[in-house]
Amino acid sequence: MGYQGHFRVWRGSDEGGGLEDFTVEVNEGEVVLDVIHRLQATQTPDLAVRWNCKAGKCGSCSAEINGKPRLLCMTRMSVFAEDETVTVTPMRTFPVIRDLVTDVSYNYQKAREIPAFKPPAGVAPGEYRMQQVDVERSQEFRKCIECFLCNNTCHVIRDHEENKESFAGPRFLMRVAELEMHPLDQADRVQEAQSSHGLGLCNITKCCTEVCPEHIKITDNALIPMKERVADRRYDPIVWLGNKLFRNKS
Amino acid sequence: MPELERHSFDVLVIGAGGAGLRAAIEAREHGMRTAVLCKSLFGKAHTVMAEGGIAAAMGNVNSNDNWQVHFRDTMRGGKFLNNWRMAELHAKEAPDRVWELETYGALFDRTKDGRISQRNFGGHEYPRLAHVGDRTGLELIRSLQQKVVSLQQDDFAETGDYESRLKVFQEFTVTDLVLDDGRVAGAFGYWRESGRFVLFEAPAVVLATGGIGKSFKVTSNSWEYTGDGHALALRAGASLINMEFVQFHPTGMVWPPSVKGILVTESVRGDGGVLRNSEGKRFMFDYIPEVFKDKYADNEAEADRWYADPGQNRRPPELLPRDEVARAINSEVKAGRGSEHGGVFLDVSTRLPAEEIMRRLPSMHHQFKELADVDITAQPMEVGPTCHYVMGGVQVDPDTGASSVPGLFAAGEVSGGMHGSNRLGGNSLSDLLVFGRRAGAGASDYVGGLSARPVCSDEAVAEAERTAVAPFSGADGGGENPYTLHMELQQAMNDLVGIIRRAEEMDQAIKRLEELKRRAATVVVEGHRQFNPGWHLALDLRNMLLVSECVARAALLRTESRGGHTRDDFPGMDAEWRRKLLVCRSAGSSVEVVEEPQVPIRSDLLELFEHSELQKYLTADELEG
Ligand SMILES: Cc1cc2nc3c(=O)[nH]c(=O)nc-3n(C[C@H](O)[C@H](O)[C@H](O)COP(=O)(O)OP(=O)(O)OC[C@H]3O[C@@H](n4cnc5c(N)ncnc54)[C@H](O)[C@@H]3O)c2cc1C
Ligand code: SF4
Ligand code: SF4
Ligand code: FES
């Protein structure tokens, strides 16, 4: 059943580091995080890794496995050949703190820059009425577990530190879309998506969608519709005025 | 020694799950400068894992539902050991707390007429759980997190600083509370990232640290659940109640070994899933206890009719309270009718069309597909009991969340009393909001009424620091490895104080715990304080051992079976025991457990029950009085 697996794990801090080789036991049914934990318990007690639920629900254990952005707890060892070396590195877009742990504060900053849900005036709590079909679009985006793998992957910031300032990243552009499509939200979010959150920098490569462990169609269902709304506003003042007057958010 | 980082706040909330965030929102809205401290990243506390739903008698699906019915179900589920006042407040206020989440932006699944949809769950008479597919906890925590951000945006607009009134300190662990003459003065802890120590000065602390499941081997709980808040409260002089009651959820994954214990939501059964043994028999019909005979169907035909016509039929026995179902599964496996990997079969594939399963249980489908290679739309799942929730916790005043230590408050899983001997599914998320809010308000009122602030003395801080660095010195020799000790603790609790208990085994457990405590004093860790999981575990061990001792000692004393406490040697429920609470307090390096009388239930609440039902739980002289 069990076998000795070959692992290469990035170890180091903000001052630098490198890949280290390990040979470690792997058992049937295990995921990469199990093996990282075994390393901690048997060989490297101070190996730093974030995790929490171990069931793909909290989005803590994001890293890159053989160069692919993934959750450590949802990557089964059975997808690798027994003689294959499994390389585990921290997310590349965010500064390393130590080993596999990165500083994801960029994401929390961006979250703060998106104006919050604006509740409908005059509708008391308990009186909200919404149809299932109307909430489903935003519900898809609210499946997000904030693993930040999409932001880690997006080339707009992965290779361009300078864009971080002006670009909210797919996760938070999707948050804007989520609020925009919320049936009862009262704020106008279309212009801001473009002007403050950097929607224009996205060139719909869909790389973010590909890595999303929740299989959210970030590009097709959030980013492209937002771009269409921006375009509608620009080129069609009547639609823009209509939207304004009738709050027709769909 | 490097300079100690210091912060000063009005209210300190330890924990950023549902209870902690709701408490923090309340304290901030009361004008308190509030800090939230949490071990993991903001938005990733254990609450995120809750699946099935949040219980609130809104009556959206069945208009017969109301707070009285919810109160009754909660008391029945807890076998009448609940603190009745908490159960009352909870049932009355839960709907408002759920509706309030909508004003924060939450999007629950809807009914046809556009209200919040509600689903069936074990022990709840009517469909009562508001939900979002099977990721309700995520919706709850994200909504609260976004509300926190929204308050921070308001503060930014006003003061130019997002964090001027409400600040989250994430990846920070509190190791000790600091007292001034028996009152709360602050909290001491370390940044997980750098290992640097911090002192928070605050006259009020709300504990919202969640549960203790990491002391058991098979558990649905994450690394955060090391009973820190329980231990902090004990060491500060507060008391814990109901610690013998630990909920084993009937359905955890059993295969493969690395995922053993991970939860399979009760919604699978609420939505029609059935339990079968290796002979293909729906065995739950054989396990309906006397007290529930009039509420649960004794044949498959009636049980199956219930889903469409709950008015005319009794409920399927798969939806009995969790303790009953967990024991039944345990018995089937022991009788040799278990599955290959020591569980039983939970099947929804023959009960609902595949599309319906995908729609209602998407994350279960995902979880089994990814982790076990099982397609739940085509195959049954293998499941078995897993340690899930601790009913026991800090003894609090129901209305304010205040413990017996001035300035110390508790809410959520770390508090005790609300659920009695057994919690109903969905009653935790609502508990978090109802009592999180109350504790936030209670702490604010307390601070508002103070004439002078307590002070953190240098000695107290130095002592906390010495304790925290002890594992690096290993001066006492021996050099125990924290991982080894943790594994032994988990094994002992699982085997000796688990789902079925016996006096001899618990005696043995207490001896084992004594020995582990001795060895833990010599625990040694390598490396330095920067992000060092070995060191973190070494500090957590101290809490786990203390809390495990509470569980074992209380369990040994309670010579009856009730809810989440099942004694092989005392299989019956004893009405005399219903009137007693076992109260744990710290005594030197050990724990002392004493019997104290349970507060009698207010008479107008008793009148909500049929006399015949009360006869099953109350003593003869209580019934007369
Ligand atoms: C898999 C699963 C599914 C569940 N499903 C449901 C459900 O459907 N319905 C329901 O009602 N209940 C459910 N529950 C139970 C419910 O989720 C928990 O009881 C509840 O979320 C606990 O919330 P809390 O706010 O008390 O604590 P938590 O959400 O656990 O938060 C605890 C917080 O305290 C912090 N903390 C702990 N110790 C320290 C320390 N020393 N220093 C600093 N911070 C600390 C943690 O970092 C964390 O932020 C489920 C539980 C599990 C495990
Ligand atoms: S689709 Fe847009 S947001 Fe997503 S990865 Fe490509 S550029 Fe980035
Ligand atoms: S959208 Fe998907 S990839 Fe991005 S943070 Fe959310 S869950 Fe992760
Ligand atoms: S540990 Fe929660 S997603 Fe991996």
Side-chain angles (χ1 to χ4, degrees):
Chain A
M1 293 188 25
Y3 66 96
Q4 295 295 311
H6 302 291
F7 266 71
R8 251 184 194 184
V9 182
W10 194 91
R11 300 216 58 195
S13 67
D14 53 350
E15 283 155 22
L19 291 168
E20 283 181 25
D21 284 276
F22 299 98
T23 301
V24 52
E25 185 185 316
V26 179
N27 297 313
E28 188 182 353
E30 287 184 335
V31 293
V32 174
L33 185 61
D34 290 312
V35 181
I36 298 285
H37 282 159
R38 184 162 301 117
L39 281 175
Q40 276 184 341
T42 57
Q43 302 182 37
T44 56
D46 59 352
L47 172 63
V49 61
R50 261 196 199 108
W51 65 288
N52 211 338
C53 66
K54 211 173 166 287
K57 293 186 196 318
C58 72
S60 300
C61 64
S62 309
E64 302 191 1
I65 303 174
N66 292 347
K68 290 209 185 69
R70 311 203 50 156
L71 296 177
L72 295 172
C73 74
M74 294 302 277
T75 306
R76 303 186 73 196
M77 284 305 297
S78 58
V79 303
F80 308 107
E82 291 192 4
D83 56 2
E84 192 174 344
T85 299
V86 179
T87 306
V88 188
T89 49
M91 285 193 282
R92 202 178 85 194
T93 304
F94 311 118
V96 168
I97 294 173
R98 218 162 74 81
D99 304 339
L100 301 175
V101 175
T102 55
D103 175 359
V104 290
S105 53
Y106 161 82
N107 300 283
Y108 288 93
Q109 256 156 37
K110 293 297 165 188
R112 260 187 198 161
E113 291 166 12
I114 314 281
F117 170 65
K118 192 161 175 227
V123 185
E127 297 304 317
Y128 286 34
R129 296 290 178 274
M130 296 176 261
Q131 290 304 312
Q132 185 61 36
V133 284
D134 296 328
V135 297
E136 251 155 30
R137 286 168 305 173
S138 296
Q139 277 186 333
E140 180 191 6
F141 309 144
R142 290 182 72 84
K143 285 197 313 198
C144 170
I145 57 172
E146 300 208 327
C147 64
F148 310 128
L149 285 172
C150 55
N151 282 0
N152 172 55
T153 304
C154 178
H155 63 95
V156 176
I157 44 176
R158 188 171 172 97
D159 302 315
H160 299 276
E161 190 65 31
E162 70 279 8
N163 284 339
K164 281 188 179 168
E165 173 90 34
S166 53
F167 187 62
R171 161 62 188 118
F172 296 102
L173 287 167
M174 179 178 87
R175 166 78 172 143
V176 179
E178 173 214 313
L179 289 163
E180 175 62 22
M181 296 178 196
H182 188 302
L184 294 178
D185 178 62
Q186 297 300 296
D188 179 6
R189 301 172 184 277
V190 174
Q191 288 310 318
E192 276 203 353
Q194 193 79 358
S195 59
S196 316
H197 309 306
L199 181 62
L201 287 170
C202 160
N203 56 352
I204 57 175
T205 58
K206 301 198 186 185
C207 312
C208 51
T209 305
E210 271 166 37
V211 298
C212 176
E214 285 294 308
H215 306 295
I216 301 172
K217 298 219 166 53
I218 309 171
T219 324
D220 287 350
N221 293 352
L223 307 179
I224 294 177
M226 280 309 281
K227 281 175 173 283
E228 284 168 358
R229 289 179 193 207
V230 171
D232 283 351
R233 291 276 174 94
R234 280 229 193 102
Y235 301 120
D236 190 346
I238 304 294
V239 172
W240 182 81
L241 198 66
N243 277 337
K244 266 279 178 244
L245 289 178
F246 304 113
R247 295 237 39 89
N248 175 10
K249 300 189 56 154
S250 46
Chain B
M1 196 148 303
E3 183 80 0
L4 181 71
E5 183 181 335
R6 282 172 184 260
H7 300 278
S8 179
F9 286 91
D10 298 326
V11 173
L12 209 58
V13 178
I14 308 180
L21 293 181
R22 190 61 191 79
I25 289 167
E26 195 65 15
R28 151 68 179 72
E29 302 209 279
H30 275 71
M32 296 290 128
R33 273 198 74 237
T34 306
V36 180
L37 276 44
C38 53
K39 294 205 278 192
S40 42
L41 290 173
F42 185 29
K44 312 213 175 289
H46 214 267
T47 297
V48 82
M49 297 162 71
E51 295 164 352
I54 170 164
M58 299 182 283
N60 290 352
V61 172
N62 188 325
S63 57
N64 291 325
D65 204 9
N66 56 40
W67 77 261
Q68 288 93 339
V69 187
H70 193 181
F71 172 79
R72 275 204 299 260
D73 289 345
T74 301
M75 295 296 291
R76 279 179 193 134
K79 303 264 159 54
F80 279 70
L81 196 88
N82 319 53
N83 176 301
W84 57 264
R85 175 65 179 162
M86 291 179 94
E88 179 193 15
L89 289 172
H90 169 259
K92 282 182 174 164
E93 294 177 7
D96 284 337
R97 297 287 80 73
V98 173
W99 287 323
E100 182 176 73
L101 287 180
E102 287 197 307
T103 71
Y104 299 172
L107 284 173
F108 291 101
D109 289 346
R110 317 306 295 182
T111 61
K112 286 216 166 53
D113 62 353
R115 295 165 201 260
I116 296 174
S117 169
Q118 300 187 267
R119 67 157 46 117
N120 282 306
F121 235 58
H124 292 281
E125 182 155 353
Y126 298 117
R128 188 177 287 144
L129 269 67
H131 55 89
V132 186
D134 51 6
R135 56 161 190 87
T136 313
L138 172 65
E139 188 67 14
L140 184 115
I141 200 162
R142 199 67 81 231
S143 302
L144 291 168
Q145 180 183 358
Q146 288 164 348
K147 177 65 179 178
V148 165
V149 167
S150 133
L151 290 169
Q152 291 177 326
Q153 291 172 345
D154 294 348
D155 292 342
F156 179 75
E158 208 176 300
T159 67
D161 176 3
Y162 283 109
E163 297 175 331
S164 52
R165 296 194 181 112
L166 178 52
K167 181 163 175 161
V168 180
F169 293 82
Q170 52 183 2
E171 302 197 303
F172 182 89
T173 303
V174 173
T175 56
D176 272 305
L177 296 176
V178 182
L179 301 184
D180 177 6
D181 197 19
R183 295 182 305 165
V184 165
F188 178 90
Y190 62 89
W191 289 111
R192 301 178 71 80
E193 182 185 319
S194 64
R196 284 197 47 189
F197 295 128
V198 186
L199 174 67
F200 286 88
E201 292 164 311
V205 167
V206 179
L207 295 173
T209 52
I212 67 161
K214 266 295 157 192
S215 298
F216 290 81
K217 187 171 168 204
V218 180
T219 176
S220 66
N221 295 174
S222 83
W223 65 265
E224 291 199 309
Y225 269 26
T226 48
D228 296 4
H230 290 79
L232 289 169
L234 270 181
R235 286 199 295 265
S239 31
L240 307 185
I241 54 170
N242 293 349
M243 290 305 291
E244 63 277 34
F245 300 109
V246 177
Q247 182 170 79
F248 290 83
H249 194 290
T251 59
M253 292 176 81
V254 296
W255 184 259
S258 72
V259 299
K260 191 163 177 155
I262 291 184
L263 194 76
V264 180
T265 175
E266 188 167 324
S267 324
V268 176
R269 282 170 287 135
D271 287 347
V274 293
L275 290 164
R276 292 202 180 91
N277 63 19
S278 59
E279 294 161 3
K281 180 169 180 208
R282 261 178 90 175
F283 57 84
M284 279 311 298
F285 291 102
D286 301 341
Y287 292 91
I288 306 172
E290 205 45 51
V291 289
F292 289 117
K293 283 254 191 294
D294 49 341
K295 296 250 182 282
Y296 288 84
D298 52 13
N299 62 84
E300 291 198 29
E302 181 178 350
D304 285 349
R305 284 196 304 269
W306 175 85
Y307 294 99
D309 184 7
Q312 299 303 313
N313 299 285
R314 289 172 296 173
R315 315 156 60 81
E318 276 87 0
L319 293 177
L320 276 160
R322 289 179 177 169
D323 51 329
E324 310 288 354
V325 184
R327 273 194 298 272
I329 293 176
N330 205 59
S331 306
E332 285 297 305
V333 174
K334 271 207 175 142
R337 294 187 292 268
S339 66
E340 185 189 348
H341 303 108
V344 294
F345 297 104
L346 172 60
D347 183 28
V348 66
S349 67
T350 56
R351 311 273 303 170
L352 289 176
E355 316 82 73
E356 200 52 27
I357 297 174
M358 297 290 288
R359 195 178 69 76
R360 292 203 211 176
L361 303 164
S363 72
M364 278 307 107
H365 180 260
H366 185 70
Q367 180 175 315
F368 272 88
K369 190 96 207 147
E370 300 284 322
L371 296 175
D373 259 337
V374 167
D375 177 359
I376 66 167
T377 64
Q379 297 160 274
M381 302 161 243
E382 258 185 276
V383 297
T386 179
C387 174
H388 186 56
Y389 185 89
V390 62
M391 270 66 74
V394 182
Q395 186 169 30
V396 292
D397 168 55
D399 289 70
T400 62
S403 75
S404 58
V405 174
L408 186 62
F409 297 77
E413 191 167 342
V414 68
S415 73
M418 159 68 205
H419 306 286
S421 67
N422 175 50
R423 172 178 73 87
L424 293 186
N427 267 3
S428 170
L429 293 185
S430 39
D431 163 6
L432 307 182
L433 299 175
V434 168
F435 295 104
R437 174 178 155 278
R438 283 185 164 273
S444 305
D445 292 345
Y446 169 81
V447 173
L450 286 177
S451 50
R453 294 223 162 193
V455 182
C456 298
S457 72
D458 292 344
E459 303 87 85
V461 175
E463 175 62 30
E465 189 160 337
R466 265 196 302 281
T467 313
V469 294
F472 287 107
S473 60
D476 306 308
E480 289 281 351
N481 174 330
Y483 292 98
T484 313
L485 289 180
H486 186 210
M487 262 158 39
E488 289 184 32
L489 169 67
Q490 290 181 314
Q491 193 75 52
M493 291 304 285
N494 230 77
D495 295 350
L496 305 174
V497 204
I499 176 163
I500 309 286
R501 299 163 173 177
R502 289 172 200 88
E504 313 81 69
E505 291 183 349
M506 287 184 285
D507 270 327
Q508 221 180 317
I510 291 168
K511 290 201 189 84
R512 203 68 77 82
L513 289 170
E514 286 301 330
E515 180 210 317
L516 286 170
K517 262 201 309 203
R518 244 191 334 274
R519 289 166 56 196
T522 70
V523 81
V524 169
V525 295
E526 284 173 41
H528 34 78
R529 296 209 322 251
Q530 212 195 15
F531 219 118
N532 185 339
W535 178 47
H536 301 168
L537 182 60
L539 295 177
D540 295 344
L541 258 179
R542 169 170 90 121
N543 298 335
M544 286 189 272
L545 285 165
L546 193 61
V547 171
S548 299
E549 191 178 334
C550 293
V551 176
R553 288 191 189 276
L556 179 62
L557 287 180
R558 187 172 281 273
T559 48
E560 65 155 354
S561 293
R562 179 186 298 270
H565 171 63
T566 305
R567 294 277 304 245
D568 217 18
D569 42 1
F570 296 93
M573 188 159 73
D574 175 354
E576 282 300 335
W577 266 114
R578 198 204 65 79
R579 309 173 72 178
K580 293 179 213 164
L581 289 176
L582 291 173
V583 182
C584 306
R585 293 197 185 87
S586 147
S589 67
S590 185
V591 174
E592 176 189 86
V593 187
V594 291
E595 268 181 30
E596 285 180 17
Q598 166 80 293
V599 204
I601 304 173
R602 206 174 65 213
S603 60
D604 62 306
L605 293 174
L606 269 188
E607 278 158 23
L608 296 172
F609 299 90
E610 301 280 341
H611 188 76
S612 58
E613 178 164 21
L614 292 178
Q615 281 176 323
K616 297 173 190 165
Y617 297 101
L618 271 53
T619 60
D621 52 310
E622 279 178 288
L623 285 168
E624 270 164 37

